[in-house]
Amino acid sequence: QVQLVESGGGLVQVGGSLTLSCTASRIVLSTNAVSWYRQAPGKEREWVGVIVSGGVRNYADSVKGRFAISRDNEKNTVFLQMNSLKPEDTAMYYCKTTRLNRDYWGQGTQVTVSS
């Protein structure tokens, strides 16, 4: 079964940086679009960004210029580099990929930005 596992979450101060990882098994992420989402308590799930198989990235307006998605094909891992973090970035972060019209989600990793 396809499995995605996020890691790298934690506590970081305002203005700090953090890199999240999404590692997959039984699927090759480089051949699929991989999206990052986040969800804070009491809020709907929010799309953060995506990297498509060709390498093009797109980001939500709320994170443009601060977040960057990259991937390591040898490790079958997609990263979310987060810079200039703000308290409103606090959320559970999830990665997702889609293959044959089926979505696969990771379990999430918590990011908390404190001042």
Side-chain angles (χ1 to χ4, degrees):
Q1 183 177 344
V2 172
Q3 184 177 45
L4 304 180
V5 178
E6 301 95 337
S7 62
L11 178 65
V12 64
Q13 291 183 307
V14 171
S17 299
L18 199 64
T19 299
L20 307 182
S21 299
C22 174
T23 299
S25 60
R26 300 181 183 178
I27 189 171
V28 179
L29 294 182
S30 63
T31 65
N32 296 273
V34 178
S35 295
W36 285 94
Y37 290 82
R38 65 187 183 186
Q39 188 168 24
K43 293 187 176 182
E44 294 185 350
R45 185 175 58 198
E46 176 188 18
W47 175 76
V48 173
V50 62
I51 181 169
V52 300
S53 60
V56 175
R57 287 87 153 164
N58 291 107
Y59 304 94
D61 288 342
S62 59
V63 305
K64 282 182 179 178
R66 300 189 299 117
F67 290 12
I69 299 173
S70 62
R71 66 187 178 202
D72 185 331
N73 292 338
E74 292 185 353
K75 296 181 179 180
N76 204 25
T77 299
V78 172
F79 303 95
L80 179 65
Q81 174 67 48
M82 304 183 293
N83 302 310
S84 302
L85 284 163
K86 306 173 181 179
E88 50 263 44
D89 295 320
T90 295
M92 185 74 73
Y93 283 73
Y94 302 88
C95 61
K96 185 207 77 174
T97 191
T98 302
R99 188 171 67 178
L100 301 178
N101 295 316
R102 180 176 179 177
D103 291 342
Y104 299 91
W105 292 85
Q107 85 291 340
T109 186
Q110 178 67 39
V111 173
T112 302
V113 184
S114 66
S115 59

mmCIF file of all heavy atoms in Angstrom, residues 26-69:
data_model
loop_
_atom_site.group_PDB
_atom_site.id
_atom_site.type_symbol
_atom_site.label_atom_id
_atom_site.label_comp_id
_atom_site.label_asym_id
_atom_site.label_seq_id
_atom_site.Cartn_x
_atom_site.Cartn_y
_atom_site.Cartn_z
ATOM 1 N N ARG A 26 6.355 2.660 -1.876
ATOM 2 C CA ARG A 26 5.483 2.032 -2.859
ATOM 3 C C ARG A 26 4.861 3.026 -3.831
ATOM 4 O O ARG A 26 3.802 2.765 -4.409
ATOM 5 C CB ARG A 26 4.398 1.195 -2.167
ATOM 6 C CG ARG A 26 4.985 0.085 -1.306
ATOM 7 C CD ARG A 26 3.919 -0.753 -0.645
ATOM 8 N NE ARG A 26 4.517 -1.756 0.223
ATOM 9 C CZ ARG A 26 3.828 -2.611 0.965
ATOM 10 N NH1 ARG A 26 2.496 -2.575 0.943
ATOM 11 N NH2 ARG A 26 4.461 -3.489 1.730
ATOM 12 N N ILE A 27 5.500 4.133 -3.997
ATOM 13 C CA ILE A 27 5.129 5.107 -5.001
ATOM 14 C C ILE A 27 6.354 5.972 -5.263
ATOM 15 O O ILE A 27 7.122 6.256 -4.345
ATOM 16 C CB ILE A 27 3.916 5.956 -4.579
ATOM 17 C CG1 ILE A 27 3.416 6.802 -5.750
ATOM 18 C CG2 ILE A 27 4.244 6.825 -3.381
ATOM 19 C CD1 ILE A 27 2.093 7.500 -5.482
ATOM 20 N N VAL A 28 6.531 6.376 -6.494
ATOM 21 C CA VAL A 28 7.647 7.237 -6.863
ATOM 22 C C VAL A 28 7.121 8.656 -6.959
ATOM 23 O O VAL A 28 6.356 8.991 -7.860
ATOM 24 C CB VAL A 28 8.283 6.799 -8.185
ATOM 25 C CG1 VAL A 28 9.427 7.733 -8.553
ATOM 26 C CG2 VAL A 28 8.782 5.368 -8.083
ATOM 27 N N LEU A 29 7.536 9.486 -6.032
ATOM 28 C CA LEU A 29 6.990 10.828 -5.951
ATOM 29 C C LEU A 29 7.369 11.699 -7.136
ATOM 30 O O LEU A 29 6.635 12.621 -7.485
ATOM 31 C CB LEU A 29 7.423 11.502 -4.647
ATOM 32 C CG LEU A 29 6.872 10.893 -3.363
ATOM 33 C CD1 LEU A 29 7.353 11.685 -2.156
ATOM 34 C CD2 LEU A 29 5.358 10.830 -3.395
ATOM 35 N N SER A 30 8.495 11.426 -7.744
ATOM 36 C CA SER A 30 8.935 12.252 -8.859
ATOM 37 C C SER A 30 8.027 12.138 -10.076
ATOM 38 O O SER A 30 8.073 12.993 -10.962
ATOM 39 C CB SER A 30 10.370 11.910 -9.254
ATOM 40 O OG SER A 30 10.470 10.570 -9.704
ATOM 41 N N THR A 31 7.222 11.115 -10.130
ATOM 42 C CA THR A 31 6.304 10.922 -11.249
ATOM 43 C C THR A 31 4.903 11.439 -10.946
ATOM 44 O O THR A 31 4.006 11.305 -11.778
ATOM 45 C CB THR A 31 6.214 9.445 -11.643
ATOM 46 O OG1 THR A 31 5.636 8.680 -10.578
ATOM 47 C CG2 THR A 31 7.595 8.894 -11.962
ATOM 48 N N ASN A 32 4.730 12.005 -9.785
ATOM 49 C CA ASN A 32 3.420 12.490 -9.358
ATOM 50 C C ASN A 32 3.538 13.884 -8.773
ATOM 51 O O ASN A 32 4.590 14.279 -8.271
ATOM 52 C CB ASN A 32 2.813 11.564 -8.301
ATOM 53 C CG ASN A 32 2.528 10.172 -8.817
ATOM 54 O OD1 ASN A 32 1.466 9.913 -9.377
ATOM 55 N ND2 ASN A 32 3.487 9.273 -8.635
ATOM 56 N N ALA A 33 2.458 14.606 -8.840
ATOM 57 C CA ALA A 33 2.398 15.880 -8.142
ATOM 58 C C ALA A 33 2.278 15.625 -6.644
ATOM 59 O O ALA A 33 1.540 14.743 -6.213
ATOM 60 C CB ALA A 33 1.213 16.705 -8.624
ATOM 61 N N VAL A 34 3.022 16.376 -5.863
ATOM 62 C CA VAL A 34 2.963 16.267 -4.416
ATOM 63 C C VAL A 34 2.582 17.622 -3.845
ATOM 64 O O VAL A 34 3.230 18.625 -4.144
ATOM 65 C CB VAL A 34 4.297 15.806 -3.819
ATOM 66 C CG1 VAL A 34 4.205 15.748 -2.296
ATOM 67 C CG2 VAL A 34 4.681 14.445 -4.380
ATOM 68 N N SER A 35 1.546 17.625 -3.049
ATOM 69 C CA SER A 35 1.056 18.853 -2.453
ATOM 70 C C SER A 35 1.289 18.843 -0.957
ATOM 71 O O SER A 35 1.314 17.786 -0.324
ATOM 72 C CB SER A 35 -0.444 19.041 -2.714
ATOM 73 O OG SER A 35 -0.703 19.216 -4.094
ATOM 74 N N TRP A 36 1.441 20.026 -0.417
ATOM 75 C CA TRP A 36 1.465 20.223 1.024
ATOM 76 C C TRP A 36 0.205 20.966 1.431
ATOM 77 O O TRP A 36 -0.192 21.936 0.771
ATOM 78 C CB TRP A 36 2.693 21.012 1.471
ATOM 79 C CG TRP A 36 3.963 20.224 1.452
ATOM 80 C CD1 TRP A 36 4.873 20.150 0.447
ATOM 81 C CD2 TRP A 36 4.461 19.398 2.507
ATOM 82 N NE1 TRP A 36 5.923 19.327 0.812
ATOM 83 C CE2 TRP A 36 5.691 18.853 2.069
ATOM 84 C CE3 TRP A 36 4.003 19.066 3.784
ATOM 85 C CZ2 TRP A 36 6.458 17.993 2.868
ATOM 86 C CZ3 TRP A 36 4.763 18.213 4.563
ATOM 87 C CH2 TRP A 36 5.972 17.689 4.106
ATOM 88 N N TYR A 37 -0.396 20.500 2.501
ATOM 89 C CA TYR A 37 -1.561 21.137 3.093
ATOM 90 C C TYR A 37 -1.293 21.364 4.570
ATOM 91 O O TYR A 37 -0.413 20.745 5.163
ATOM 92 C CB TYR A 37 -2.811 20.270 2.935
ATOM 93 C CG TYR A 37 -3.338 20.145 1.531
ATOM 94 C CD1 TYR A 37 -2.787 19.232 0.638
ATOM 95 C CD2 TYR A 37 -4.404 20.929 1.105
ATOM 96 C CE1 TYR A 37 -3.277 19.105 -0.651
ATOM 97 C CE2 TYR A 37 -4.903 20.807 -0.181
ATOM 98 C CZ TYR A 37 -4.341 19.898 -1.051
ATOM 99 O OH TYR A 37 -4.833 19.775 -2.332
ATOM 100 N N ARG A 38 -2.088 22.221 5.154
ATOM 101 C CA ARG A 38 -2.006 22.419 6.593
ATOM 102 C C ARG A 38 -3.398 22.677 7.143
ATOM 103 O O ARG A 38 -4.291 23.140 6.444
ATOM 104 C CB ARG A 38 -1.065 23.566 6.952
ATOM 105 C CG ARG A 38 -1.527 24.941 6.475
ATOM 106 C CD ARG A 38 -0.438 25.977 6.731
ATOM 107 N NE ARG A 38 -0.853 27.320 6.347
ATOM 108 C CZ ARG A 38 -0.054 28.381 6.366
ATOM 109 N NH1 ARG A 38 1.219 28.258 6.754
ATOM 110 N NH2 ARG A 38 -0.521 29.578 6.003
ATOM 111 N N GLN A 39 -3.557 22.367 8.400
ATOM 112 C CA GLN A 39 -4.823 22.589 9.061
ATOM 113 C C GLN A 39 -4.585 22.970 10.512
ATOM 114 O O GLN A 39 -3.932 22.241 11.259
ATOM 115 C CB GLN A 39 -5.715 21.348 8.986
ATOM 116 C CG GLN A 39 -7.128 21.573 9.495
ATOM 117 C CD GLN A 39 -8.064 20.439 9.156
ATOM 118 O OE1 GLN A 39 -7.629 19.306 8.933
ATOM 119 N NE2 GLN A 39 -9.353 20.727 9.109
ATOM 120 N N ALA A 40 -5.127 24.105 10.874
ATOM 121 C CA ALA A 40 -5.059 24.581 12.238
ATOM 122 C C ALA A 40 -6.385 24.289 12.930
ATOM 123 O O ALA A 40 -7.423 24.167 12.274
ATOM 124 C CB ALA A 40 -4.766 26.077 12.273
ATOM 125 N N PRO A 41 -6.389 24.187 14.254
ATOM 126 C CA PRO A 41 -7.633 23.923 14.976
ATOM 127 C C PRO A 41 -8.704 24.954 14.650
ATOM 128 O O PRO A 41 -8.440 26.155 14.647
ATOM 129 C CB PRO A 41 -7.213 24.007 16.441
ATOM 130 C CG PRO A 41 -5.769 23.648 16.433
ATOM 131 C CD PRO A 41 -5.229 24.240 15.162
ATOM 132 N N GLY A 42 -9.898 24.471 14.354
ATOM 133 C CA GLY A 42 -11.002 25.352 14.053
ATOM 134 C C GLY A 42 -11.016 25.908 12.650
ATOM 135 O O GLY A 42 -11.906 26.696 12.312
ATOM 136 N N LYS A 43 -10.056 25.531 11.836
ATOM 137 C CA LYS A 43 -9.986 26.020 10.473
ATOM 138 C C LYS A 43 -10.047 24.872 9.480
ATOM 139 O O LYS A 43 -9.731 23.725 9.808
ATOM 140 C CB LYS A 43 -8.707 26.824 10.243
ATOM 141 C CG LYS A 43 -8.632 28.125 11.016
ATOM 142 C CD LYS A 43 -7.419 28.935 10.602
ATOM 143 C CE LYS A 43 -7.376 30.279 11.287
ATOM 144 N NZ LYS A 43 -6.207 31.076 10.845
ATOM 145 N N GLU A 44 -10.448 25.201 8.275
ATOM 146 C CA GLU A 44 -10.467 24.217 7.221
ATOM 147 C C GLU A 44 -9.055 23.934 6.733
ATOM 148 O O GLU A 44 -8.144 24.742 6.894
ATOM 149 C CB GLU A 44 -11.336 24.691 6.054
ATOM 150 C CG GLU A 44 -12.810 24.816 6.377
ATOM 151 C CD GLU A 44 -13.645 25.179 5.171
ATOM 152 O OE1 GLU A 44 -13.065 25.510 4.121
ATOM 153 O OE2 GLU A 44 -14.875 25.119 5.265
ATOM 154 N N ARG A 45 -8.901 22.793 6.140
ATOM 155 C CA ARG A 45 -7.623 22.433 5.566
ATOM 156 C C ARG A 45 -7.252 23.417 4.462
ATOM 157 O O ARG A 45 -8.085 23.778 3.622
ATOM 158 C CB ARG A 45 -7.693 21.011 5.016
ATOM 159 C CG ARG A 45 -6.376 20.470 4.491
ATOM 160 C CD ARG A 45 -6.538 19.014 4.100
ATOM 161 N NE ARG A 45 -7.575 18.835 3.102
ATOM 162 C CZ ARG A 45 -8.158 17.677 2.821
ATOM 163 N NH1 ARG A 45 -7.809 16.582 3.487
ATOM 164 N NH2 ARG A 45 -9.090 17.601 1.889
ATOM 165 N N GLU A 46 -6.022 23.847 4.461
ATOM 166 C CA GLU A 46 -5.546 24.862 3.535
ATOM 167 C C GLU A 46 -4.439 24.296 2.654
ATOM 168 O O GLU A 46 -3.483 23.694 3.149
ATOM 169 C CB GLU A 46 -5.027 26.075 4.311
ATOM 170 C CG GLU A 46 -4.417 27.168 3.445
ATOM 171 C CD GLU A 46 -3.735 28.252 4.254
ATOM 172 O OE1 GLU A 46 -3.432 28.012 5.441
ATOM 173 O OE2 GLU A 46 -3.514 29.350 3.711
ATOM 174 N N TRP A 47 -4.555 24.519 1.383
ATOM 175 C CA TRP A 47 -3.502 24.142 0.462
ATOM 176 C C TRP A 47 -2.317 25.088 0.617
ATOM 177 O O TRP A 47 -2.489 26.305 0.653
ATOM 178 C CB TRP A 47 -4.027 24.183 -0.978
ATOM 179 C CG TRP A 47 -3.001 23.919 -2.020
ATOM 180 C CD1 TRP A 47 -2.462 22.716 -2.366
ATOM 181 C CD2 TRP A 47 -2.393 24.893 -2.883
ATOM 182 N NE1 TRP A 47 -1.549 22.877 -3.385
ATOM 183 C CE2 TRP A 47 -1.495 24.195 -3.724
ATOM 184 C CE3 TRP A 47 -2.520 26.274 -3.029
ATOM 185 C CZ2 TRP A 47 -0.731 24.846 -4.690
ATOM 186 C CZ3 TRP A 47 -1.770 26.921 -3.995
ATOM 187 C CH2 TRP A 47 -0.890 26.207 -4.803
ATOM 188 N N VAL A 48 -1.126 24.527 0.682
ATOM 189 C CA VAL A 48 0.079 25.318 0.894
ATOM 190 C C VAL A 48 0.876 25.466 -0.390
ATOM 191 O O VAL A 48 1.316 26.557 -0.746
ATOM 192 C CB VAL A 48 0.959 24.687 1.992
ATOM 193 C CG1 VAL A 48 2.302 25.408 2.097
ATOM 194 C CG2 VAL A 48 0.233 24.713 3.331
ATOM 195 N N GLY A 49 1.077 24.363 -1.081
ATOM 196 C CA GLY A 49 1.850 24.412 -2.300
ATOM 197 C C GLY A 49 1.905 23.054 -2.959
ATOM 198 O O GLY A 49 1.433 22.056 -2.420
ATOM 199 N N VAL A 50 2.498 23.026 -4.133
ATOM 200 C CA VAL A 50 2.583 21.793 -4.899
ATOM 201 C C VAL A 50 3.853 21.789 -5.729
ATOM 202 O O VAL A 50 4.328 22.843 -6.161
ATOM 203 C CB VAL A 50 1.341 21.624 -5.805
ATOM 204 C CG1 VAL A 50 1.241 22.767 -6.815
ATOM 205 C CG2 VAL A 50 1.349 20.274 -6.512
ATOM 206 N N ILE A 51 4.393 20.625 -5.925
ATOM 207 C CA ILE A 51 5.448 20.410 -6.906
ATOM 208 C C ILE A 51 4.937 19.336 -7.854
ATOM 209 O O ILE A 51 4.510 18.265 -7.428
ATOM 210 C CB ILE A 51 6.792 20.017 -6.260
ATOM 211 C CG1 ILE A 51 7.865 19.827 -7.343
ATOM 212 C CG2 ILE A 51 6.658 18.790 -5.382
ATOM 213 C CD1 ILE A 51 9.277 19.690 -6.783
ATOM 214 N N VAL A 52 4.953 19.639 -9.137
ATOM 215 C CA VAL A 52 4.482 18.687 -10.125
ATOM 216 C C VAL A 52 5.653 17.848 -10.612
ATOM 217 O O VAL A 52 6.812 18.122 -10.302
ATOM 218 C CB VAL A 52 3.778 19.391 -11.296
ATOM 219 C CG1 VAL A 52 2.581 20.184 -10.790
ATOM 220 C CG2 VAL A 52 4.742 20.292 -12.048
ATOM 221 N N SER A 53 5.343 16.830 -11.377
ATOM 222 C CA SER A 53 6.379 15.896 -11.809
ATOM 223 C C SER A 53 7.464 16.564 -12.631
ATOM 224 O O SER A 53 8.613 16.131 -12.609
ATOM 225 C CB SER A 53 5.752 14.744 -12.591
ATOM 226 O OG SER A 53 5.069 15.210 -13.739
ATOM 227 N N GLY A 54 7.100 17.627 -13.350
ATOM 228 C CA GLY A 54 8.077 18.351 -14.138
ATOM 229 C C GLY A 54 8.925 19.319 -13.345
ATOM 230 O O GLY A 54 9.846 19.924 -13.901
ATOM 231 N N GLY A 55 8.619 19.483 -12.067
ATOM 232 C CA GLY A 55 9.417 20.334 -11.205
ATOM 233 C C GLY A 55 8.851 21.713 -10.952
ATOM 234 O O GLY A 55 9.389 22.450 -10.123
ATOM 235 N N VAL A 56 7.795 22.076 -11.632
ATOM 236 C CA VAL A 56 7.183 23.383 -11.420
ATOM 237 C C VAL A 56 6.530 23.430 -10.046
ATOM 238 O O VAL A 56 5.894 22.466 -9.616
ATOM 239 C CB VAL A 56 6.159 23.690 -12.519
ATOM 240 C CG1 VAL A 56 5.437 25.008 -12.237
ATOM 241 C CG2 VAL A 56 6.844 23.745 -13.873
ATOM 242 N N ARG A 57 6.693 24.545 -9.378
ATOM 243 C CA ARG A 57 6.102 24.737 -8.060
ATOM 244 C C ARG A 57 5.085 25.861 -8.084
ATOM 245 O O ARG A 57 5.235 26.827 -8.828
ATOM 246 C CB ARG A 57 7.168 25.093 -7.024
ATOM 247 C CG ARG A 57 8.071 23.954 -6.593
ATOM 248 C CD ARG A 57 9.243 23.798 -7.500
ATOM 249 N NE ARG A 57 10.379 23.193 -6.813
ATOM 250 C CZ ARG A 57 11.428 22.657 -7.425
ATOM 251 N NH1 ARG A 57 11.495 22.655 -8.757
ATOM 252 N NH2 ARG A 57 12.410 22.148 -6.712
ATOM 253 N N ASN A 58 4.078 25.730 -7.270
ATOM 254 C CA ASN A 58 3.106 26.776 -7.044
ATOM 255 C C ASN A 58 2.796 26.833 -5.564
ATOM 256 O O ASN A 58 2.807 25.808 -4.887
ATOM 257 C CB ASN A 58 1.827 26.551 -7.844
ATOM 258 C CG ASN A 58 2.027 26.718 -9.325
ATOM 259 O OD1 ASN A 58 2.042 25.746 -10.080
ATOM 260 N ND2 ASN A 58 2.188 27.963 -9.767
ATOM 261 N N TYR A 59 2.486 28.032 -5.079
ATOM 262 C CA TYR A 59 2.288 28.226 -3.655
ATOM 263 C C TYR A 59 1.065 29.075 -3.379
ATOM 264 O O TYR A 59 0.672 29.905 -4.191
ATOM 265 C CB TYR A 59 3.509 28.907 -3.027
ATOM 266 C CG TYR A 59 4.801 28.171 -3.253
ATOM 267 C CD1 TYR A 59 5.637 28.493 -4.313
ATOM 268 C CD2 TYR A 59 5.190 27.147 -2.393
ATOM 269 C CE1 TYR A 59 6.826 27.811 -4.524
ATOM 270 C CE2 TYR A 59 6.376 26.463 -2.597
ATOM 271 C CZ TYR A 59 7.190 26.795 -3.661
ATOM 272 O OH TYR A 59 8.369 26.109 -3.853
ATOM 273 N N ALA A 60 0.507 28.857 -2.207
ATOM 274 C CA ALA A 60 -0.557 29.726 -1.751
ATOM 275 C C ALA A 60 -0.009 31.119 -1.493
ATOM 276 O O ALA A 60 1.160 31.286 -1.127
ATOM 277 C CB ALA A 60 -1.187 29.166 -0.480
ATOM 278 N N ASP A 61 -0.853 32.110 -1.669
ATOM 279 C CA ASP A 61 -0.418 33.487 -1.461
ATOM 280 C C ASP A 61 0.130 33.712 -0.057
ATOM 281 O O ASP A 61 1.048 34.513 0.143
ATOM 282 C CB ASP A 61 -1.572 34.454 -1.722
ATOM 283 C CG ASP A 61 -1.922 34.561 -3.190
ATOM 284 O OD1 ASP A 61 -1.101 34.177 -4.037
ATOM 285 O OD2 ASP A 61 -3.037 35.039 -3.486
ATOM 286 N N SER A 62 -0.412 33.006 0.904
ATOM 287 C CA SER A 62 -0.014 33.204 2.286
ATOM 288 C C SER A 62 1.421 32.771 2.574
ATOM 289 O O SER A 62 1.996 33.181 3.588
ATOM 290 C CB SER A 62 -0.971 32.460 3.224
ATOM 291 O OG SER A 62 -0.983 31.074 2.933
ATOM 292 N N VAL A 63 2.000 31.963 1.701
ATOM 293 C CA VAL A 63 3.354 31.465 1.948
ATOM 294 C C VAL A 63 4.329 31.815 0.839
ATOM 295 O O VAL A 63 5.527 31.500 0.961
ATOM 296 C CB VAL A 63 3.362 29.938 2.177
ATOM 297 C CG1 VAL A 63 2.403 29.557 3.297
ATOM 298 C CG2 VAL A 63 3.027 29.188 0.890
ATOM 299 N N LYS A 64 3.877 32.456 -0.203
ATOM 300 C CA LYS A 64 4.765 32.818 -1.304
ATOM 301 C C LYS A 64 5.929 33.662 -0.811
ATOM 302 O O LYS A 64 5.760 34.588 -0.032
ATOM 303 C CB LYS A 64 4.000 33.581 -2.380
ATOM 304 C CG LYS A 64 3.150 32.716 -3.281
ATOM 305 C CD LYS A 64 2.471 33.548 -4.360
ATOM 306 C CE LYS A 64 1.646 32.677 -5.284
ATOM 307 N NZ LYS A 64 0.938 33.482 -6.311
ATOM 308 N N GLY A 65 7.094 33.318 -1.282
ATOM 309 C CA GLY A 65 8.292 34.035 -0.886
ATOM 310 C C GLY A 65 8.901 33.560 0.405
ATOM 311 O O GLY A 65 10.021 33.961 0.742
ATOM 312 N N ARG A 66 8.185 32.724 1.145
ATOM 313 C CA ARG A 66 8.686 32.221 2.417
ATOM 314 C C ARG A 66 8.898 30.711 2.421
ATOM 315 O O ARG A 66 9.806 30.222 3.084
ATOM 316 C CB ARG A 66 7.731 32.587 3.548
ATOM 317 C CG ARG A 66 7.526 34.089 3.735
ATOM 318 C CD ARG A 66 6.743 34.393 5.007
ATOM 319 N NE ARG A 66 5.409 33.803 4.981
ATOM 320 C CZ ARG A 66 4.982 32.865 5.825
ATOM 321 N NH1 ARG A 66 5.789 32.410 6.780
ATOM 322 N NH2 ARG A 66 3.748 32.394 5.733
ATOM 323 N N PHE A 67 8.060 29.998 1.709
ATOM 324 C CA PHE A 67 8.147 28.537 1.661
ATOM 325 C C PHE A 67 8.663 28.095 0.306
ATOM 326 O O PHE A 67 8.431 28.751 -0.717
ATOM 327 C CB PHE A 67 6.775 27.905 1.892
ATOM 328 C CG PHE A 67 6.234 28.032 3.290
ATOM 329 C CD1 PHE A 67 6.805 28.875 4.221
ATOM 330 C CD2 PHE A 67 5.126 27.283 3.663
ATOM 331 C CE1 PHE A 67 6.296 28.991 5.505
ATOM 332 C CE2 PHE A 67 4.610 27.384 4.937
ATOM 333 C CZ PHE A 67 5.188 28.237 5.857
ATOM 334 N N ALA A 68 9.342 26.972 0.287
ATOM 335 C CA ALA A 68 9.841 26.406 -0.956
ATOM 336 C C ALA A 68 9.756 24.890 -0.905
ATOM 337 O O ALA A 68 10.147 24.282 0.089
ATOM 338 C CB ALA A 68 11.275 26.846 -1.217
ATOM 339 N N ILE A 69 9.257 24.315 -1.964
ATOM 340 C CA ILE A 69 9.156 22.865 -2.074
ATOM 341 C C ILE A 69 10.281 22.346 -2.947
ATOM 342 O O ILE A 69 10.579 22.919 -3.999
ATOM 343 C CB ILE A 69 7.791 22.452 -2.651
ATOM 344 C CG1 ILE A 69 6.660 22.922 -1.734
ATOM 345 C CG2 ILE A 69 7.722 20.942 -2.857
ATOM 346 C CD1 ILE A 69 5.273 22.700 -2.306
#
